[in-house]
């Protein structure tokens, strides 16, 4: 379009200014003398023929520079400015319909669009996360047993979103982990016992998921007493192991993760012998199973206890006195023999977890007999 405008402008200028045209022709002739001998020498009979020749010999990749095309400040029009006086304005609609953006720009624009979509999805996830946290706070204030099912659904959404590390970290700013502790402390009534245990179990799963491979969340949990809250949720169970196996397995999984990250959790396990009681109960309790054998929750419970044992003895590897004390206590209760027997368990994951515990104990006195 700019070329067409220049051509029309030049034609008018040629008709009105013959002398200027002759000067241009002379300059063109001089310039033509400097070209390579391989090119034929053009003969210009008018300024318009010279412009036609120049346009025909332009390369495709050339585009008007900033001095040739400028966008008008007002009105949304484009002005084509040539060396001849008096530019001709082009409507913005004509430019949009005739000029296609370069392919490189389209590629970059695609990247920008993807980035915008990513940011929008992240914002929507954070909004959803905050919405469910607000609901939980409201539900915990009223603690209406009719809301237990909705509370569990909200916790399930939070747990799913927190597979994203950034979302799990965002929960710190919402003070949501203390809220999860309060869910673990819900008093279980006989009327709503199983429902309340399901809510608590999902809260424990949230903590386990959020802290997995997340140093920032792990540090926050340790500084706010998360390990103690998890252990208390195991010690305070009012129901038989079959009913609370899912809660216990998820809490043990979370404790194992915290213990692997920081050996200070050992002091929590030693407090009033809580760790010894919990791990012994998880490994030694005889479940009333169906003909199909151990349920999935009970299998997870055993694996969780073995994971805690493995992390415990990994930290105690260089602390012989403290290590011997734990080994002796477990040996008296029959826990070590139970671990040995699990090498023949039908679940391969339990076999591997039991083998890992035995490796951590290798060299001690526990298995000599």
């Amino acid at each position: 379009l700019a070329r067409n405008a220049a051509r029309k402008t030049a034609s008018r200028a040629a008709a009105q200014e013959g002398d200027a045209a002759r000067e241009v022709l002379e300059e063109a002739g001089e310039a033509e003398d400097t070209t390579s001998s391989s090119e034929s020498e053009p003969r210009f009979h008018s300024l318009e023929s010279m412009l036609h020749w120049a346009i025909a010999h332009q390369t495709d990749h050339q585009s008007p520079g900033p001095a040739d095309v400028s966008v008008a400040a007002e009105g949304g029009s484009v002005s084509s400015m040539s060396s001849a006086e008096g530019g001709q304005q082009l409507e913005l609609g004509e430019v949009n319909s005739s000029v296609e953006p370069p392919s490189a720009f389209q590629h970059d624009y695609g990247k920008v669009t993807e980035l915008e979509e990513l940011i929008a999805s992240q914002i929507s996830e954070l909004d959803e996360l905050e919405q469910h946290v607000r609901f939980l706070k409201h539900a915990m204030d009223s603690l209406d047993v009719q809301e237990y099912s909705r509370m569990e659904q909200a916790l399930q959404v939070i747990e799913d979103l927190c597979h994203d590390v950034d979302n799990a970290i965002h929960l710190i700013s919402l003070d949501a982990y203390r809220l999860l502790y309060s869910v673990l402390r819900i008093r279980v009534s006989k009327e709503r016992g199983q429902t309340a245990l399901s809510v608590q179990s999902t809260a424990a799963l949230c903590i386990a998921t959020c802290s997995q491979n997340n140093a920032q969340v792990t540090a926050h949990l340790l500084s706010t007493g998360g390990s103690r809250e998890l252990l208390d949720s195991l010690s305070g169970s009012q129901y038989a192991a079959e009913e609370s196996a899912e809660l216990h397995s998820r809490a043990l999984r979370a404790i194992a993760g915290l213990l692997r990250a920081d050996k200070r959790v050992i002091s929590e396990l030693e407090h009033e012998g809580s760790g010894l009681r919990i791990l012994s109960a998880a490994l030694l309790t005889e479940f009333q199973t169906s003909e199909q054998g151990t349920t999935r929750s009970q299998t997870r419970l055993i694996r969780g206890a073995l994971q805690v044992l493995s992390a415990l003895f990994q930290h105690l590897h260089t602390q012989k006195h403290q290590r011997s004390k734990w080994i002796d206590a477990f040996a008296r209760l029959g826990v070590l023999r139970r671990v040995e027997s699990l090498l023949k368990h039908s679940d391969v994951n339990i076999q591997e977890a039991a083998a890992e515990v035995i490796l951590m104990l290798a060299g001690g006195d526990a298995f000599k007999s």
Side-chain angles (χ1 to χ4, degrees):
L1 291 174
R3 291 172 185 171
N4 291 337
R7 187 184 298 116
K8 292 178 182 179
T9 302
S11 298
R12 288 196 297 272
Q16 296 174 0
E17 300 180 8
D19 293 338
R22 283 191 296 274
E23 292 177 5
V24 172
L25 287 171
E26 291 175 359
E27 293 176 0
E30 294 174 359
E32 190 66 18
D33 292 337
T34 63
T35 61
S36 63
S37 60
S38 62
E39 295 179 354
S40 62
E41 295 181 2
R43 293 292 183 267
F44 303 116
H45 304 290
S46 66
L47 178 61
E48 183 173 2
S49 65
M50 184 197 72
L51 289 172
H52 275 290
W53 180 90
I55 292 171
H57 285 76
Q58 276 188 330
T59 56
D60 293 335
H61 68 271
Q62 289 178 335
S63 59
D68 299 317
V69 180
S70 62
V71 181
E74 294 180 1
S77 62
V78 176
S79 298
S80 174
M81 305 300 292
S82 69
S83 58
E85 295 180 0
Q88 178 179 357
Q89 290 190 340
L90 303 174
E91 294 299 328
L92 186 60
E94 296 180 53
V95 174
N96 288 340
S97 62
S98 305
V99 181
E100 294 184 1
S103 59
F105 172 79
Q106 292 174 337
H107 180 67
D108 291 340
Y109 180 75
K111 289 183 177 179
V112 171
T113 303
E114 291 176 4
L115 181 60
E116 289 175 344
E117 291 175 353
L118 178 63
I119 293 173
S121 66
Q122 187 71 11
I123 292 174
S124 64
E125 280 190 0
L126 293 179
D127 288 342
E128 187 177 9
L129 197 65
E130 293 173 1
Q131 176 185 351
H132 288 290
V133 170
R134 284 195 298 270
F135 167 75
L136 277 179
K137 288 180 178 178
H138 173 74
M140 287 303 298
D141 288 339
S142 60
L143 206 59
D144 185 357
V145 293
Q146 303 297 328
E147 297 286 353
Y148 279 4
S149 60
R150 292 182 59 194
M151 288 172 64
E152 185 176 4
Q153 292 172 4
L155 287 165
Q156 288 170 347
V157 173
I158 293 172
E159 190 273 335
D160 183 60
L161 291 174
C162 286
H163 284 274
D164 185 318
V165 173
D166 293 331
N167 289 341
I169 293 173
H170 186 60
L171 286 183
I172 298 175
S173 63
L174 301 177
D175 200 25
Y177 290 103
R178 296 182 189 277
L179 180 63
L180 294 177
Y181 301 160
S182 63
V183 174
L184 291 176
R185 293 193 296 266
I186 290 177
R187 185 174 180 180
V188 180
S189 63
K190 292 183 179 180
E191 293 77 13
R192 293 282 177 172
Q194 191 59 46
T195 307
L197 284 171
S198 297
V199 174
Q200 292 176 322
S201 174
T202 311
L205 179 61
C206 279
I207 295 174
T209 300
C210 292
S211 59
Q212 185 174 4
N213 300 322
N214 194 326
Q216 193 168 338
V217 172
T218 298
H220 176 74
L221 293 173
L222 292 170
S223 65
T224 55
S227 56
R228 183 74 262 160
E229 295 285 352
L230 289 165
L231 287 168
D232 288 345
S233 71
L234 297 175
S235 303
S237 178
Q238 301 178 23
Y239 283 77
E242 292 87 345
E243 296 176 305
S244 56
E246 191 72 17
L247 166 62
H248 285 204
S249 65
R250 291 173 172 179
L252 286 171
R253 173 185 159 189
I255 291 168
L258 295 177
L259 180 55
R260 280 191 292 266
D262 197 315
K263 64 181 180 181
R264 288 177 295 178
V265 178
I266 296 176
S267 61
E268 298 288 350
L269 291 171
E270 292 177 334
H271 180 68
E272 297 181 354
S274 58
L276 186 64
R277 290 195 306 272
I278 291 167
L279 294 172
S280 299
L283 291 170
L284 298 175
T285 299
E286 294 293 336
F287 297 104
Q288 295 179 356
T289 58
S290 61
E291 294 181 357
Q292 288 75 23
T294 308
T295 65
R296 180 193 290 185
S297 297
Q298 293 158 1
T299 300
R300 289 175 176 173
L301 175 61
I302 295 171
R303 285 181 57 193
L306 291 172
Q307 288 169 357
V308 174
L309 277 177
S310 177
L312 172 64
F313 287 112
Q314 185 177 6
H315 282 302
L316 296 177
H317 181 67
T318 57
Q319 303 177 32
K320 292 184 178 180
H321 177 71
Q322 196 175 9
R323 180 173 176 271
S324 297
K325 185 174 65 175
W326 276 96
I327 289 176
D328 291 343
F330 283 129
R332 287 195 303 270
L333 293 171
V335 171
L336 299 184
R337 284 298 177 197
R338 171 61 171 166
V339 172
E340 189 177 14
S341 69
L342 291 173
L343 291 171
K344 300 178 182 179
H345 197 277
S346 59
D347 189 289
V348 66
N349 293 313
I350 289 182
Q351 293 177 22
E352 292 176 354
E356 186 177 353
V357 173
I358 292 174
L359 285 175
M360 294 298 169
L361 291 166
D365 297 331
F367 288 94
K368 283 186 177 179
S369 60

